[in-house]
Amino acid sequence: MTELNRHQIRQAAFQSLFGLALNPTADVDTTITQVLVGDPEIAWEDEIPAELTSVVLGVVAKQDELDLMITDHLSSDWTLDRLNTTDLVLMRLALYEAKFTDVPAKIAVNEALQLAHDFTDDKSRKFINGILNKSLTLN
């Protein structure tokens, strides 16, 4: 089996988490498999990488805590419901990696911004960067 690199795992995790955000009752393994099968850039056979499953399940398990970290740095007139789903999922993923794994905060933020480059616009990237930097006290 071809190993996925860390960026591919993050991208698949983001896409899986995005799918789960839109359909919270979906099965995690099924969602991950659909992402892997549907991405022509990923040389995937038929076993879900353990690191990918671990990240997705970790974000899902810590979602309330991650959302609180994000909410703490939103303007008083903003709520999570007003956030773009893409932005919210990218922030959850980066915060999870920075707070609950061995990924250094600056790398987690940089990776989130690289993914944001592919999936959002400049305004969203700046917003994501600001919230993550405040949440992780990188300023």
Side-chain angles (χ1 to χ4, degrees):
M1 180 169 101
T2 305
E3 294 279 324
L4 300 180
N5 65 40
R6 289 191 84 134
H7 180 74
Q8 290 172 316
I9 287 173
R10 280 187 187 94
Q11 182 171 327
F14 161 71
Q15 291 172 314
S16 299
L17 290 163
F18 184 85
L20 292 168
L22 297 179
N23 185 6
T25 61
D27 177 69
V28 172
D29 285 341
T30 301
T31 302
I32 293 171
T33 300
Q34 289 171 340
V35 166
L36 292 173
V37 168
D39 191 334
E41 294 182 21
I42 295 177
W44 179 74
E45 292 176 17
D46 58 350
E47 186 177 326
I48 298 172
E51 184 179 357
L52 174 54
T53 301
S54 176
V55 169
V56 172
L57 290 175
V59 172
V60 169
K62 298 284 187 181
Q63 184 171 311
D64 290 342
E65 192 173 341
L66 298 168
D67 287 353
L68 184 58
M69 288 181 217
I70 295 165
T71 301
D72 285 347
H73 299 287
L74 294 176
S75 299
S76 61
D77 58 334
W78 277 78
T79 63
L80 289 178
D81 294 338
R82 287 187 64 189
L83 297 182
N84 176 311
T85 302
T86 300
D87 297 353
L88 179 59
V89 171
L90 284 170
M91 289 186 286
R92 284 175 180 161
L93 178 57
L95 287 171
Y96 175 78
E97 284 193 309
K99 294 286 190 177
F100 301 105
T101 72
D102 62 349
V103 175
K106 287 187 180 201
I107 291 174
V109 171
N110 185 50
E111 287 289 334
L113 295 176
Q114 285 182 355
L115 288 170
H117 179 69
D118 294 335
F119 295 100
T120 64
D121 59 20
D122 284 338
K123 186 176 178 182
S124 285
R125 282 193 301 277
K126 289 176 184 174
F127 176 75
I128 291 166
N129 189 40
I131 295 293
L132 291 177
N133 281 324
K134 289 175 186 174
S135 298
L136 298 168
T137 59
L138 297 177
N139 290 345

